[in-house]
Amino acid sequence: MAAEGEYESILCVKPDVNVYRIPPRASNRAYRAADWKLDSPDWSGRMRITAKGQVAFVKLEDKVSGELFAQAPIKEYPGAAMETVSDSSRYFVLRIQDDNGRSAFIGVGFGDRGDAFDFNVSLQDHFKWVKQEHEFSKNAELGETGPKLDLGFKDGQTITLNIGQGKKRDKPRPLSSSGFGLLPPPPGGKMAPPPLSGSSNHNIIPQTGDTLDSSNSNTLVQANAGLDLWGDFSAPAR
C-alpha cells in the first residue's frame, strides 16, 4: 500500500460510467460483455483515477455529491485487479475492495470509446513511470555497491600540457587598391620589355641582294632612255 506521507494525484476523470453485476467466471476463458445486462446497468456515476505512490486507485463516485461508491486499488498493470473483455473495447472488469479487505468483481463500461481509451492509457502511463522508478533505484544501488572509478594520479605519473604552441597560420596576402591580391612574379623568369612608343603600322620588309640589283638596273635603264630622247647636243645639220 501507499505510504501515509505520500500525496494523492489525479490521473483521469470520466463523468459517465456504468456498473454491472457480472456472473462468476466458470472457466479460465476471458470475460464477455455480451453476458451482462448492458441495457440495465446496476449503477451509474463518475470515475476518478488517482495515484498515491506506486498504487493507482479507480474510484467510482456519485456525480452530484461525490460520495464514494466503490474503489479498486491497482498495484500492477496488466493484472488481476483490472481486466479487459474479449468482445468489446469499452468494457472492463474491476476487482473492488472495501476497508475490511473484502473484494468482489464488477463490470464497468463507457458509452464513448474515447473515454475507454483514456482510462486504459492513464493506467499504462502510471505503471510505465513505476517501472522507470524501479530501474533508477536499482541502478543507484548498483552504483553504490559496485567498484568506484579511480581518476587520481598514481605515484610518479605526470602529464604534459602544450599551451600556446598551436600551428601557425599563414599571413593573409595584402590587397591592392582595386581589392584583388597581387600575384608574385614567376620564379627565375625575366620580365618582357615594354613595347616601343613609335608607330608600329609601317611594315619593314627586308631586301635581299636580288631586289637591290633589279632596282639599280631599272634606274640605269630609265636614265639611258632619257638621254636618247634628247639626242646628241651636236651642231645642227646644214
Side-chain angles (χ1 to χ4, degrees):
M1 296 296 292
E4 293 295 335
E6 295 176 341
Y7 65 91
E8 185 179 31
S9 61
I10 299 176
L11 303 179
C12 182
V13 176
K14 292 301 174 184
D16 295 314
V17 63
N18 297 323
V19 176
Y20 306 92
R21 290 181 181 180
I22 60 176
R25 181 184 290 180
S27 61
N28 293 330
R29 69 182 182 89
Y31 289 100
R32 297 179 70 253
D35 299 335
W36 308 344
K37 296 178 181 180
L38 301 179
D39 296 336
S40 57
D42 296 288
W43 183 86
S44 296
R46 74 179 182 187
M47 176 185 286
R48 189 161 59 96
I49 307 170
T50 64
K52 195 172 184 179
Q54 298 181 355
V55 182
F57 296 89
V58 179
K59 298 182 179 183
L60 304 174
E61 302 172 342
D62 186 79
K63 291 182 179 180
V64 180
S65 63
E67 182 181 0
L68 181 64
F69 171 75
Q71 71 174 358
I74 302 176
K75 299 180 180 180
E76 59 180 358
Y77 179 85
M82 199 278 285
E83 299 181 36
T84 59
V85 298
S86 61
D87 57 346
S88 177
S89 61
R90 296 187 291 114
Y91 297 92
F92 305 88
V93 176
L94 293 179
R95 185 180 63 184
I96 59 176
Q97 187 176 353
D98 61 5
D99 296 336
N100 298 324
R102 295 178 300 179
S103 61
F105 290 93
I106 61 173
V108 295
F110 300 93
D112 187 6
R113 294 182 183 275
D115 293 340
F117 177 80
D118 294 340
F119 165 67
N120 202 10
V121 169
S122 62
L123 292 176
Q124 289 179 1
D125 292 343
H126 171 72
F127 286 98
K128 183 179 180 180
W129 169 81
V130 172
K131 183 179 179 181
Q132 292 177 350
E133 288 293 320
H134 280 300
E135 292 178 355
F136 292 155
S137 301
K138 185 177 180 180
N139 293 334
E141 293 177 357
L142 292 177
E144 293 178 357
T145 58
K148 296 182 179 181
L149 182 61
D150 185 11
L151 299 178
F153 290 101
K154 297 180 180 180
D155 295 338
Q157 185 179 7
T158 60
I159 60 174
T160 303
L161 298 178
N162 296 326
I163 301 176
Q165 296 182 4
K167 184 178 180 181
K168 296 182 179 179
R169 297 182 178 179
D170 296 335
K171 295 182 179 179
R173 294 179 179 178
L175 298 177
S176 63
S177 59
S178 60
F180 299 97
L182 298 177
L183 297 177
K190 295 182 179 180
M191 298 181 64
L196 298 177
S197 59
S199 176
S200 60
N201 295 329
H202 299 285
N203 296 326
I204 301 175
I205 302 175
Q207 296 181 356
T208 59
D210 297 337
T211 306
L212 293 175
D213 295 341
S214 61
S215 61
N216 293 334
S217 59
N218 293 333
T219 304
L220 295 175
V221 170
Q222 292 177 359
N224 295 328
L227 295 177
D228 294 336
L229 292 175
W230 291 100
D232 296 335
F233 289 95
S234 56
R238 292 180 181 178

